Amino acid sequence: MPTRSTEEWIRLSLRTPGILIFGMVLAPCGWILDLTATVAPNWRTLHPTTLPPDEFIQQGIWDICRATSTSTREECNLQDTEYFNNQIINVAQGLMVASLIVTLIGLAVAIPGVRCWKDRPNWVVAGLGGLLIFLSGVMTIIPIAWYTHILNEITSETALTDVRVGYCIILGYIGGIFEILGGFVMFIGICRCCGGKNRGETRVDEVMGDRFSHQKPPPRRVNVPTLDRARSSASSVPYSRDSMDDDVSFPRAKSPAVRSVNTSYAGRPYDADL
């Protein structure tokens, strides 16, 4: 059975496919959110009893700061050896940094594949870039979810009285989901799903059929005999009275013959003739 060639598919629009635009928008947004979650020292917030009520401690994966609710000034670079010796801290540091690097590599691969300056994108290259972006999102979600799951079990030199989730956890979740969605949508462009609609393509025979389906079929030609035929010599002779009285004429068209009155019988006239 012969296989279909790629020339049987055609793009109806020369614009960049929507799935590639979707991925190229979500991936940088997710990278910015992940970068903020990585460097900001607020994975969890502690309210120990040894500090005044308006002071609290913010712990991240790289730094620990002390802040107050009445002032924006923070005291950072606090030492907490017990906190940084937890396994989740080392895993989060490695995966978050790796996620940022893999996202940049994925964008560098996807941009030449998208080729918004040309008519047809390179779906294989764009799909590989989307796969890298998808993996970077997974590497972000893993430490974020793990840290949240054992939030109260992470040991610290500070007494754990009131532990709350920091804003870095929320930003990390959102950034990771953005990268997973954007990378997955770009990756499915490798396969021609849904009849090619996910790539904005359709078959050439379907396009040609739809183009002429709305047109009415041409009317059938009817040959009408012309009236300019040459007359025969018999029909060119004008009709005469003798021909009209011929037996061939219609009988109803003849006028009745005038009956003659016999005014005599054996040489004698009728009484009516007198």
Side-chain angles (χ1 to χ4, degrees):
M1 181 177 180
T3 57
R4 296 181 178 271
S5 60
T6 56
E7 286 77 13
E8 295 184 1
W9 295 85
I10 188 174
R11 283 180 48 80
L12 300 179
S13 176
L14 300 181
R15 296 177 296 180
T16 304
I19 58 176
L20 298 182
I21 297 177
F22 183 80
M24 295 301 294
V25 170
L26 289 186
C29 294
W31 185 84
I32 294 175
L33 294 176
D34 292 345
L35 178 63
T36 305
T38 302
V39 300
N42 194 359
W43 282 54
R44 70 175 184 174
T45 303
L46 305 179
H47 294 270
T49 56
T50 58
L51 296 178
D54 60 339
E55 292 185 3
F56 53 89
I57 295 177
Q58 297 175 341
Q59 294 179 336
I61 59 176
W62 300 101
D63 197 3
I64 299 176
C65 297
R66 179 185 299 172
T68 61
S69 58
T70 58
S71 176
T72 58
R73 184 177 179 180
E74 297 180 357
E75 181 184 356
C76 297
N77 297 325
L78 299 180
Q79 300 298 322
D80 194 339
T81 306
E82 186 177 354
Y83 172 77
F84 288 109
N85 286 335
N86 288 280
Q87 182 182 7
I88 181 58
I89 303 301
N90 298 325
V91 173
Q93 290 176 352
L95 288 180
M96 293 301 292
V97 174
S99 174
L100 296 175
I101 297 175
V102 173
T103 303
L104 294 178
I105 297 175
L107 290 174
V109 174
I111 290 175
V114 173
R115 295 193 301 182
C116 57
W117 58 90
K118 292 186 178 181
D119 298 341
R120 299 178 62 88
N122 191 333
W123 290 104
V124 176
V125 177
L128 293 178
L131 179 61
L132 293 176
I133 296 173
F134 176 83
L135 294 177
S136 67
V138 174
M139 287 188 292
T140 300
I141 294 296
I142 290 176
I144 294 290
W146 188 4
Y147 192 99
T148 306
H149 181 68
I150 61 173
L151 185 67
N152 296 323
E153 300 176 5
I154 301 175
T155 60
S156 177
E157 296 178 358
T158 305
L160 303 179
T161 55
D162 185 11
V163 182
R164 299 180 183 179
V165 175
Y167 63 84
C168 290
I169 298 295
I170 300 175
L171 296 181
Y173 270 122
I174 298 175
I177 292 174
F178 277 6
E179 291 178 349
I180 289 177
L181 290 179
F184 176 76
V185 170
M186 293 179 65
F187 178 73
I188 62 176
I190 293 182
C191 59
R192 189 180 282 107
C193 305
C194 303
K197 295 186 181 299
N198 65 316
R199 300 171 58 169
E201 296 178 348
T202 185
R203 297 187 183 277
V204 176
D205 52 358
E206 295 180 0
V207 176
M208 299 302 294
D210 296 339
R211 180 176 300 179
F212 295 101
S213 60
H214 66 280
Q215 297 181 1
K216 295 181 179 180
R220 187 178 62 180
R221 183 177 180 182
V222 180
N223 296 325
V224 180
T226 180
L227 300 178
D228 296 336
R229 294 182 297 176
R231 294 183 179 180
S232 62
S233 58
S235 60
S236 62
V237 179
Y239 292 99
S240 61
R241 184 176 298 273
D242 296 336
S243 63
M244 294 178 61
D245 295 337
D246 197 359
D247 294 336
V248 183
S249 304
F250 293 99
R252 293 183 180 180
K254 296 181 180 180
S255 60
V258 180
R259 300 178 61 182
S260 60
V261 180
N262 189 3
T263 59
S264 62
Y265 176 73
R268 291 183 300 175
Y270 288 104
D271 294 339
D273 296 336
L274 297 178

